[in-house]
Amino acid sequence: AHIPLAQGVIPNAVLPQGAYTIIGQAWSVSLEWQFYLLAPFLIWTLRNWRRLPLSMGLAVLLWLAAPYFSEAFLGAKLAMFAVGICSCFAVEDAPRKSVWIAATLVTAAAAALQDGPALMIALAIWGAALVSVTAPPESRSHLLARALGTRRATHHGQISYSLYLVHMIPLYTAIQVLTWLGLTGMTMELTAFAITVAGSYWLARATYALVEKPGIAFGARLTRGGTSGPRLAVEGRPN
């Protein structure tokens, strides 16, 4: 199931917890892959309001099917993807920015309803960033966007998905080694924390440089005739 990234589309009744085996965090890779397969159709429907019922109908079907699958199923996170889509249009479609911001708020409410009220914290941070990005560059509201656009922030954004996937490796390794050494209590916890942070960062840098970035470039050559660059690298990760 993991080889074609299909672990997220197998019902729980068939393969319980199957989306979380091998690398637990990789459930989101299957989720992302499902979206990529449907994205061309969704974009096609959004380009013409008369086609919108087609995507809405598909969304309802996915939503209704979600309880039979894990959170790695697209229907279980559909509202979150809708937040991202509406946010993108809010930034790119300046004449109708207010419409898309309103749509972002509606889809954010749907996401909170689907995933629980705790999600509101993450959505509030996302909303603040969206308002800052769409604000005039000379305004105070744009300060957050300016900070997020610095070289250091961009660097951490680029390696963030690699960091998400690999951070359990130094965590478990540190706990195992420190247990062998006989460390316990606060000393154990602080040392494991320090090793995990440093180890995760450097491991993420390595996997981004050696795996993810070459993969993005390879995909660019296949789909865009060799066009690649910083913008593509950032767009390659919607998380």
Side-chain angles (χ1 to χ4, degrees), residues 163-227:
L163 182 66
Y164 165 69
L165 287 177
V166 304
H167 74 275
M168 298 299 286
I169 298 174
L171 172 62
Y172 286 150
T173 301
I175 292 174
Q176 186 67 54
V177 172
L178 294 174
T179 300
W180 284 341
L181 294 176
L183 271 67
T184 59
M186 186 62 71
T187 303
M188 162 76 155
E189 294 175 8
L190 292 177
T191 306
F193 176 78
I195 293 173
T196 300
V197 171
S200 297
Y201 172 73
W202 288 106
L203 185 58
R205 284 194 62 166
T207 54
Y208 173 74
L210 299 175
V211 180
E212 186 174 358
K213 193 173 181 180
I216 292 171
F218 176 69
R221 290 195 297 271
L222 290 179
T223 60
R224 299 190 180 185
T227 302

Side-chain angles (χ1 to χ4, degrees), residues 128-145:
L130 177 63
V131 170
S132 184
V133 167
T134 56
E138 66 278 2
S139 68
R140 289 185 177 181
S141 299
H142 195 69
L143 290 176
L144 177 59

